[in-house]
Amino acid sequence: MDTMFSEMAWLIPLFPLAAFLLLLASGRSGRRVGVAIGSVGSLASLVLSILVLIEHMGDGATYYQDGFKWIDLGSFQLNFGYEVTNLSALMLVVVTAVSFLVNVYSAGYMRDDERISVFYSYIALFTFSMLGLVLADNMLSLYFFWELVGVCSFLLVGFWYTKPAARAAAKKAFIVTRIGDAGLLIAILLLFWYMPDHALDFVRIENVFEGQTGAVAAGVTTLIAILIFVGAIGKSGQFPLHVWLPDAMEGPTPISALIHAATMVAAGVYLVARTFDIFQASPVAMETVAYIGAFTAIFAATIGIAQNDIKRILAYSTVSQLGYMMMALGLGSLTGGVFHLFTHAFFKALLFLGAGSIIHAVHTQNINEMGGLGSKMRITAWTFGIGALALSGIPPFAGFWSKDAILATALHENPTLFVVGVVAAFFTAFYMSRLFFLVFTGKPKGDGKAHESPLSMTIPLIILAVFAIGAGFIETPWNGTLSEWLTGTAAAAHSGGGLVMVISTAVGALGIYLGWLVFVKGTIARDAISSRAPWLARLLERKYYIDEIYEAILVKPLRGLGQLLNAIDQYLIDGIVSFIGGTAVFLGRGGTRLQNGQVQTYGLITILGLVILIIAVVGRRFWS
Amino acid sequence: MLSSYLMVAAILFCIGLYGALVKKNAVIVLLSIELMLNAVNLNLVAFSKYGVVPSLTGQIFTLFTIAVAAAEVAVGIAILIALFRARGTVNVDEYDEMRR
Amino acid sequence: MFNIEWTGEYIAFIVFSAVIISGAVFMINFTKVVHMVVSLAAVFIGIAGMFVLLNAEFLAFVQVLVYAGAVSILMIFGIMMTKHKESETESKRGLHSLLVGIGAVALFGILFYAIRQTEFPQEQPLQAVEDNTLEIGKLLFTGYVVPFEIISVLLTVAFIGSIVLAKKEANE
């Protein structure tokens, strides 16, 4: 098969960019057409992405790269190009599909918002940046788009900037991810410094590190890998930089679905997958990734149990699932990580959009104030349930297969992490069932005027639900299509596949059953734990006091330093400046008084000047 | 002898200078300027007699100076009268147009 | 400094310079404007006397005519037409006067020093000619005829100009 569509891949990001520019140009008048422009832009990208993916499904066209010379410094050359691999083709489809569905969904969700066209332009800009990130063929242009998505995230989290919480969350998201970005930047600089020919494109990075040529020393390799991972930590909300992601839920819900569940936060995973060869060259880095991923997975899952805000629960769930992906990558399973990224994108987007539909109906985010919505919002309830099951890892939904792939790898590579993963899966199932049962079953609370959302919101839910059911079948223990396609080698059969499947299903079912017992049947009192170990409940509810710790050990000292520097600036620097200024003003005042328009004063000055001049010129003979 | 004349001229010049810069009345300022001019004339005539090259040229120049001074006084008084009509005063320190 | 012979010329010089300097000082110190003009006329006459001592008889006459006559009268007319207060108000600008005084005295000091330091050539002074007016007239109409004509034009222009300036604007 030829590379006809891959050659046109550079068009994919340009559709959203064009949509963004159109929306920007049309301003507020674009309110009516904004929805159409944004949706058409992302639809065009989606179609082209699917064509590219289909092309890559076949044989032959596994790789295509093109671009133009961007920077030419002596012997160093850098292209600004794009690169289509199987991995990026898959990511293209995920991004454009979720983006398109979110566009459609937002038409209903944001219908009454004043600035809907601005919202759409931000989404288009984000889609453009994300696609650019996926297609980037070297580290530098990847970094470029990496920062662009960060900006879009900032803009969209703070979209309702009249809310103080949204402003604070936007700033927090931006600043915390910047910490990670700094790590990535240093990694890029190190790569530039140590790579042969200062090459930054992925192809040559792959060649250098895969071949273990020793061109880059082992210590440096580890350092680079760790620093890249720091960037991924920031973007993907891994511990200890996860704090921004739950707060980012202050943004509009479709944004949470698009950016903070399906695409941008997956960029960290994508980055690690993209530079996987560097990681593979360094066992230390791999272990770091695996352990941090596993810790994040269980850490965030436990927090998720104690939260009451529907979006925050989903946010911690996202953090937890991203931890799974990282763990998979750290254990050497590129397929597992990317597969989970793929399925997670669909079912987490589904869950968020479903949550948006609920919030749209009841105007609250507290799950304790909801209840009995199942009968009023049938489509939402069903699709949300599918998403929840997929997340909990119940067969045959998508999440089961990808989680199974990860756990199988973990069992094979590192049994400790396998246990951690299983426990995290149990917690996941428990908090999802808690969420589902509290929202959709039981007695209705509130004013009870909840109703099903409009068609533009339910259709994306249904489509995503289909994916949440079906997306998992591209890779099963019996059918290694995806891994073969991604890594180019025939997959080794999962050892102990059956055992893992049984365990993970059992754990998921157990979690759900426990949730049912607690929140529906009431066999176990709800405050069973909180009454016996109130400190534990508090610890979870306060998210392990991470924010407070950061506040105490980082924010406060830095703020104190800032105030000190501010004081120095205000009193010392400003003092010097205003002293200089004041001197000039003083001299000027004096000058003004001399410049009084009186001829006689001028004459006086002339005479004095003449006398001084004569003394200076003639008098030299006396003292020299 | 020459230095005695020059000394008188210098004294006269300095007194005129003092008056021109201190006096408020514009007429007196004009008078002081005349004093300074006369000091110059005295110098010219003194050099005409006792100078390095004694000749009548100094006297001719003094003649011209006197003519110019006469013209100056006439024009000065005319300007003064016009100013007085416009501003209602002859005080020099109230003439501060140059500041504006 | 004092080893000079007491000739008639020198005594006359002393008298004239006393008249000139005291007149000038009086002019500065008087408060009534008319008194000032009178003492100024004394200065002019003293200078005319000096011109006679310097063998410039014609200039002395011109000095008396133009300065002591015309200029003083013109000043008195100016004083009358600007109908200012009779006496000069005391200057309130103490610092200004002081600085001007310092400047004037310093300038005089410099001039004094320069005059005392200079070695003047002791050449033969210009001899008194038979008819000073005749000699000046010859020079004026031979070597200095062009400046002479120009100065006459200047005078004409100045007088016409002063008439224009001082004239009351009729249509105002």
Side-chain angles (χ1 to χ4, degrees):
Chain A
M1 191 182 274
D2 61 359
T3 56
M4 184 176 78
F5 294 116
S6 296
E7 278 168 35
M8 294 197 291
W10 57 275
L11 276 172
I12 297 174
L14 291 190
F15 290 122
L17 181 62
F20 166 67
L21 294 175
L22 268 175
L23 285 165
L24 205 63
S26 59
R28 298 236 160 172
S29 62
R31 203 166 136 62
R32 301 248 166 249
V33 290
V35 180
I37 292 175
S39 306
V40 167
S42 56
L43 181 63
S45 297
L46 175 62
V47 171
L48 195 51
S49 304
I50 290 175
L51 290 174
V52 170
L53 182 67
I54 290 172
E55 196 173 89
H56 276 260
M57 295 274 207
D59 313 321
T62 54
Y63 178 79
Y64 184 80
Q65 193 268 337
D66 196 6
F68 58 88
K69 198 182 289 176
W70 182 25
I71 296 173
D72 195 350
L73 291 173
S75 63
F76 171 67
Q77 278 188 8
L78 193 62
N79 286 328
F80 193 84
Y82 66 100
E83 184 179 58
V84 187
T85 61
N86 286 343
L87 175 62
S88 53
L90 189 68
M91 279 297 286
L92 283 180
V93 173
V94 172
V95 171
T96 50
V98 177
S99 167
F100 171 66
L101 292 174
V102 164
N103 265 300
V104 174
Y105 180 89
S106 303
Y109 189 83
M110 303 291 287
R111 192 172 42 199
D112 300 327
D113 198 286
E114 274 287 291
R115 296 159 64 230
I116 186 168
S117 63
V118 179
F119 180 79
Y120 268 87
S121 69
Y122 287 170
I123 290 192
L125 180 63
F126 170 77
T127 311
F128 158 70
S129 324
M130 190 67 206
L131 291 170
L133 193 156
V134 169
L135 284 171
D137 75 336
N138 62 56
M139 287 298 274
L140 200 60
S141 45
L142 181 132
Y143 186 73
F144 179 78
F145 289 112
W146 182 270
E147 293 295 345
L148 256 182
V149 292
V151 170
C152 294
S153 166
F154 169 77
L155 289 173
L156 284 163
V157 170
F159 183 72
W160 287 320
Y161 54 78
T162 46
K163 283 201 304 187
R167 284 204 301 270
K171 278 186 276 185
K172 189 171 178 183
F174 197 69
I175 292 167
V176 174
T177 48
R178 288 275 347 143
I179 299 171
D181 294 349
L184 178 59
L185 182 61
I186 298 169
I188 292 172
L189 293 176
L190 282 176
L191 268 178
F192 174 78
W193 193 253
Y194 285 105
M195 279 290 287
D197 293 340
H198 302 306
L200 283 179
D201 49 317
F202 291 118
V203 181
R204 277 191 277 178
I205 289 175
E206 197 178 316
N207 289 339
V208 165
F209 287 99
E210 194 181 24
Q212 304 278 1
T213 52
V216 181
V220 177
T221 308
T222 305
L223 188 60
I224 290 172
I226 300 269
L227 284 170
I228 290 177
F229 184 56
V230 168
I233 282 179
K235 215 51 144 193
S236 291
Q238 297 296 288
F239 181 83
L241 295 182
H242 64 280
V243 287
W244 68 270
L245 188 53
D247 284 19
M249 296 303 139
E250 291 294 338
T253 310
I255 288 316
S256 307
L258 175 63
I259 299 186
H260 305 116
T263 55
M264 188 190 87
V265 292
V269 179
Y270 178 76
L271 176 69
V272 176
R274 200 70 207 266
T275 55
F276 202 54
D277 297 293
I278 304 179
F279 284 88
Q280 278 186 321
S282 164
V284 181
M286 288 294 271
E287 268 181 32
T288 311
V289 175
Y291 281 107
I292 286 191
F295 179 73
T296 309
I298 191 159
F299 168 82
T302 51
I303 297 178
I305 296 172
Q307 298 301 308
N308 288 323
D309 183 318
I310 183 168
K311 287 181 71 181
R312 275 176 185 268
I313 297 174
L314 292 176
Y316 278 106
S317 159
T318 306
V319 172
S320 167
Q321 299 303 309
L322 289 164
Y324 264 109
M325 298 172 206
M326 285 298 182
M327 184 174 90
L329 292 172
L331 291 171
S333 170
L334 180 65
T335 318
V338 174
F339 184 31
H340 199 55
L341 163 59
F342 174 67
T343 56
H344 174 261
F346 290 116
F347 64 69
K348 189 50 68 63
L350 167 62
L351 286 172
F352 265 112
L353 294 183
S357 174
I358 295 162
I359 295 165
H360 194 65
V362 300
H363 300 294
T364 176
Q365 299 193 5
N366 191 333
I367 54 171
N368 291 322
E369 295 169 13
M370 303 174 188
L373 293 175
S375 53
K376 287 172 189 152
M377 307 175 69
R378 276 185 190 285
I379 302 174
T380 307
W382 274 106
T383 51
F384 198 88
I386 291 170
L389 288 174
L391 178 57
S392 307
I394 302 297
F397 300 102
F400 168 73
W401 302 109
S402 54
K403 204 175 276 187
D404 176 62
I406 295 172
L407 290 176
T409 315
L411 182 63
H412 185 65
E413 300 281 338
N414 190 333
T416 318
L417 292 184
F418 171 74
V419 174
V420 171
V422 168
V423 174
F426 168 73
F427 284 135
T428 307
F430 180 69
Y431 67 68
M432 280 320 292
S433 61
R434 169 176 179 256
L435 174 59
F436 184 82
F437 292 135
L438 277 180
V439 171
F440 291 106
T441 63
K443 287 189 193 121
K445 292 170 194 162
D447 52 7
K449 279 187 202 154
H451 54 86
E452 186 56 273
S453 301
L455 217 56
S456 66
M457 287 166 71
T458 51
I459 286 176
L461 289 178
I462 295 168
I463 296 173
L464 283 170
V466 171
F467 276 108
I469 298 170
F473 288 104
I474 58 168
E475 165 91 4
T476 62
W478 312 282
N479 173 13
T481 321
L482 181 69
S483 59
E484 204 174 311
W485 184 69
L486 270 182
T487 57
T489 53
H494 293 304
S495 56
L499 175 68
V500 173
M501 282 166 72
V502 169
I503 291 177
S504 82
T505 311
V507 159
L510 187 68
I512 293 172
Y513 178 65
L514 192 65
W516 183 74
L517 283 183
V518 175
F519 296 105
V520 181
K521 202 138 177 272
T523 322
I524 303 172
R526 271 198 205 190
D527 52 359
I529 294 177
S530 56
S531 62
R532 270 173 223 146
W535 59 271
L536 182 64
R538 259 192 89 68
L539 187 66
L540 292 181
E541 203 186 326
R542 301 298 302 158
K543 311 153 211 163
Y544 294 102
Y545 293 97
I546 294 285
D547 276 329
E548 284 79 357
I549 292 169
Y550 284 173
E551 175 78 24
I553 64 166
L554 288 177
V555 178
K556 280 216 178 114
L558 284 176
R559 189 169 289 154
L561 182 67
Q563 273 163 356
L564 179 69
L565 293 176
N566 185 34
I568 289 177
D569 179 61
Q570 216 160 21
Y571 296 108
L572 191 67
I573 310 288
D574 279 12
I576 293 172
V577 169
S578 41
F579 173 73
I580 294 170
T583 313
V585 169
F586 178 76
L587 289 176
R589 290 255 163 77
T592 318
R593 288 183 54 146
L594 283 180
Q595 198 76 21
N596 59 1
Q598 302 274 325
V599 188
Q600 291 183 325
T601 312
Y602 299 164
L604 165 64
I605 292 165
T606 312
I607 299 250
L608 291 178
L610 177 69
V611 168
I612 292 168
L613 190 68
I614 291 173
I615 290 174
V617 172
V618 180
R620 271 188 319 184
R621 72 170 70 163
F622 297 111
W623 59 70
S624 67
Chain B
M1 215 45 217
L2 176 59
S3 59
S4 309
Y5 286 106
L6 295 185
M7 209 65 82
V8 171
I11 292 169
L12 200 56
F13 183 86
C14 287
I15 291 172
L17 182 66
Y18 179 81
L21 292 185
V22 166
K23 290 292 166 182
K24 273 185 175 177
N25 193 323
V27 180
I28 311 302
V29 172
L30 272 179
L31 287 181
S32 305
I33 292 171
E34 291 307 315
L35 275 190
M36 290 155 78
L37 276 168
N38 269 292
V40 173
N41 287 351
L42 191 55
N43 266 7
L44 283 173
V45 179
F47 275 115
S48 144
K49 184 173 179 186
Y50 294 110
V52 181
V53 185
S55 77
L56 278 179
T57 312
Q59 299 189 12
I60 302 286
F61 264 88
T62 308
L63 206 54
F64 289 151
T65 316
I66 290 172
V68 171
E72 177 244 315
V73 169
V75 174
I77 292 285
I79 290 175
L80 206 62
I81 288 167
L83 255 178
F84 178 72
R85 282 208 199 106
R87 307 287 303 268
T89 179
V90 287
N91 269 359
V92 180
D93 51 359
E94 287 172 48
Y95 298 151
D96 54 357
E97 262 77 13
M98 270 200 277
R99 192 165 65 179
R100 296 181 185 129
Chain C
M1 190 175 175
F2 291 103
N3 56 347
I4 21 173
E5 42 183 318
W6 291 84
T7 60
E9 188 199 356
Y10 198 75
I11 292 167
F13 171 77
I14 301 258
V15 170
F16 284 136
S17 45
V19 168
I20 289 170
I21 291 169
S22 55
V25 171
F26 283 144
M27 192 217 92
I28 296 298
N29 283 334
F30 276 143
T31 52
K32 283 200 168 184
V33 182
V34 181
H35 294 177
M36 291 178 177
V37 178
V38 171
S39 55
L40 188 74
V43 175
F44 291 153
I45 290 171
I47 288 177
M50 286 258 187
F51 285 168
V52 173
L53 285 184
L54 289 165
N55 299 345
E57 293 85 3
F58 179 67
L59 275 183
F61 280 107
V62 171
Q63 174 81 6
V64 170
L65 278 176
V66 174
Y67 271 114
V71 171
S72 301
I73 297 301
L74 203 57
M75 286 297 175
I76 287 169
F77 270 108
I79 289 160
M80 290 194 305
M81 291 186 75
T82 54
K83 60 168 180 187
H84 58 288
K85 279 163 276 165
E86 267 300 297
S87 56
E88 167 87 340
T89 48
E90 263 311 300
S91 173
K92 299 254 169 24
R93 299 174 297 174
L95 180 67
H96 179 85
S97 307
L98 182 68
L99 284 174
V100 171
I102 291 171
V105 169
L107 193 66
F108 175 72
I110 289 166
L111 288 175
F112 179 84
Y113 180 78
I115 293 166
R116 293 300 302 175
Q117 286 299 112
T118 313
E119 289 287 326
F120 291 109
Q122 292 296 318
E123 276 189 41
Q124 195 60 29
L126 188 66
Q127 291 306 310
V129 288
E130 189 78 10
D131 194 344
N132 178 254
T133 313
L134 180 67
E135 294 299 318
I136 288 177
K138 276 182 187 167
L139 268 177
L140 267 186
F141 290 105
T142 54
Y144 294 97
V145 68
V146 175
F148 180 77
E149 294 299 333
I150 291 175
I151 211 85
S152 61
V153 172
L154 175 75
L155 275 176
T156 316
V157 169
F159 287 135
I160 292 171
S162 49
I163 290 166
V164 170
L165 273 173
K167 199 183 71 172
K168 268 188 186 166
E169 278 130 56
N171 46 355
E172 218 183 294

